[in-house]
Amino acid sequence: MEKVRGDIGISTTSFFYWFEDTRSNWLNRQLEVLELIKDIFITVELHFLERNIFEFNEEFMEKYSKKLSWFNKITLHLPSNFSDVVSPEEYNIANKKLNEIVERLNIEYCVMHANQYKKIDFNFTFPISIENTDPRSEDYDLIKINELEKPIVLDVDHLEEKGEGVFDEQIDLLKNKISEIHFSIPRNEYYNQFKEIITPHFLAYKSDYNIPKKIPKDKIWIIEGVIPNNRMDMLEGEVKLIEKYKN
């Protein structure tokens, strides 16, 4: 693949199913993902699972710092179950650790799901953008999201899972600044063949899905659809699809 323009990035979790031990060894596997995409993308979103915040020692700091030097824009998605894996007694510790990670790895901001952010009665001192929730979480529609008074990471799939066309119906309700777009779509007929992929986030490429018409074109889009194992051709197709939409 040729180098992708800076307003199209990718989440490292798009490669989550490429490894057998991903969940137990994610910090090391994510380093392999960064190596894989270093000549393709200049915009990347890291992801922490479960206790990765506390496992991120000096050795990982040095390794990640080296790998991330290839990228111009870096963000970090905090664990989707943040308030369940970080106890209230650990919030100060997590805050201090994340501040160090954000500063040393040149991370622009951290992403946290709205329902997790709302659960936590704590003011973190690193930059945060709030992501709208999926239908399986406590629901935060875009009006409730506005009340959190934080920049928004607008997830297309989380809205479209509630019903095809919901994104276009609700986007005008959002008043807060949009930091970026998380781009993926719900499971569809084409991707039913990939039984090993257990996720709500799928590529739009080859799906014939009616992609929402009102996705802001001027924002950075982060590809979040999971890529079937070793199918870089499908990633290339997703990039071209997004480029066509943005142009």
Side-chain angles (χ1 to χ4, degrees):
M1 285 182 62
E2 297 179 356
K3 181 79 80 173
V4 176
R5 60 201 240 186
D7 65 345
I8 302 174
I10 192 164
S11 167
T12 54
T13 55
S14 289
F15 300 89
F16 192 82
Y17 294 94
W18 286 39
F19 312 98
E20 292 184 0
D21 61 345
T22 310
R23 185 159 292 282
S24 62
N25 196 24
W26 176 240
L27 287 179
N28 282 310
R29 294 306 179 217
Q30 189 164 227
L31 287 168
E32 294 181 48
V33 173
L34 294 175
E35 180 72 31
L36 180 67
I37 64 174
K38 68 177 183 180
D39 296 322
I40 304 173
F41 290 93
I42 61 173
T43 299
V44 65
E45 184 152 291
L46 304 175
H47 201 115
F48 274 177
L49 303 176
E50 297 167 346
R51 305 288 291 180
N52 285 167
I53 297 167
F54 303 106
E55 297 164 351
F56 204 83
N57 57 25
E58 185 61 30
E59 181 181 357
F60 279 125
M61 192 77 79
E62 292 176 2
K63 287 180 178 179
Y64 271 78
S65 181
K66 181 177 180 181
K67 297 286 187 185
L68 289 169
S69 65
W70 301 315
F71 300 91
N72 291 353
K73 179 183 172 71
I74 306 156
T75 56
L76 170 61
H77 198 308
L78 298 180
S80 299
N81 57 345
F82 185 92
S83 65
D84 299 318
V85 298
V86 180
S87 69
E89 294 77 21
E90 294 175 313
Y91 287 162
N92 277 307
I93 300 170
N95 181 55
K96 183 177 180 181
K97 189 68 176 285
L98 285 166
N99 266 305
E100 182 184 10
I101 291 169
V102 166
E103 181 177 352
R104 291 182 61 181
L105 299 185
N106 295 315
I107 291 169
E108 188 168 330
Y109 51 82
C110 294
V111 179
M112 184 180 289
H113 286 166
N115 60 317
Q116 296 290 314
Y117 179 77
K118 188 67 174 178
K119 277 185 184 180
I120 301 168
D121 184 18
F122 187 90
N123 292 320
F124 290 109
T125 55
F126 51 85
I128 291 179
S129 286
I130 303 300
E131 180 180 344
N132 54 299
T133 55
D134 61 52
R136 293 164 300 284
S137 306
E138 183 181 352
D139 188 27
Y140 276 84
D141 61 23
L142 298 189
I143 293 177
K144 288 184 180 178
I145 290 281
N146 291 332
E147 295 171 0
L148 298 178
E149 297 182 341
K150 285 284 186 182
I152 303 303
V153 171
L154 190 56
D155 190 296
V156 175
D157 174 77
H158 287 173
L159 286 171
E160 289 293 286
E161 275 194 277
K162 298 173 183 178
E164 188 170 340
V166 168
F167 185 98
D168 285 340
E169 292 171 3
Q170 293 194 2
I171 178 63
D172 292 337
L173 299 174
L174 185 62
K175 304 304 178 186
N176 290 3
K177 174 188 174 184
I178 298 174
S179 296
E180 65 185 41
I181 301 295
H182 277 184
F183 183 69
S184 65
I185 62 169
R187 182 183 285 274
N188 54 79
E189 186 173 346
Y190 180 80
Y191 285 95
N192 282 336
Q193 64 185 288
F194 301 104
K195 304 297 185 184
E196 71 280 8
I197 300 178
I198 307 171
T199 175
H201 296 285
F202 289 85
L203 300 175
Y205 176 62
K206 284 187 175 290
S207 70
D208 292 327
Y209 192 85
N210 292 318
I211 298 171
K213 295 179 173 60
K214 294 185 179 181
I215 308 175
K217 297 180 180 181
D218 61 337
K219 303 298 180 182
I220 287 179
W221 287 27
I222 300 294
I223 295 169
E224 223 181 17
V226 173
I227 304 160
N229 196 15
N230 295 319
R231 293 297 304 271
M232 293 297 283
D233 60 304
M234 297 183 77
L235 174 58
E236 185 171 10
E238 188 81 344
V239 169
K240 289 180 178 178
L241 181 152
I242 295 172
E243 288 176 336
K244 183 178 179 180
Y245 185 108
K246 278 177 162 277
N247 291 336

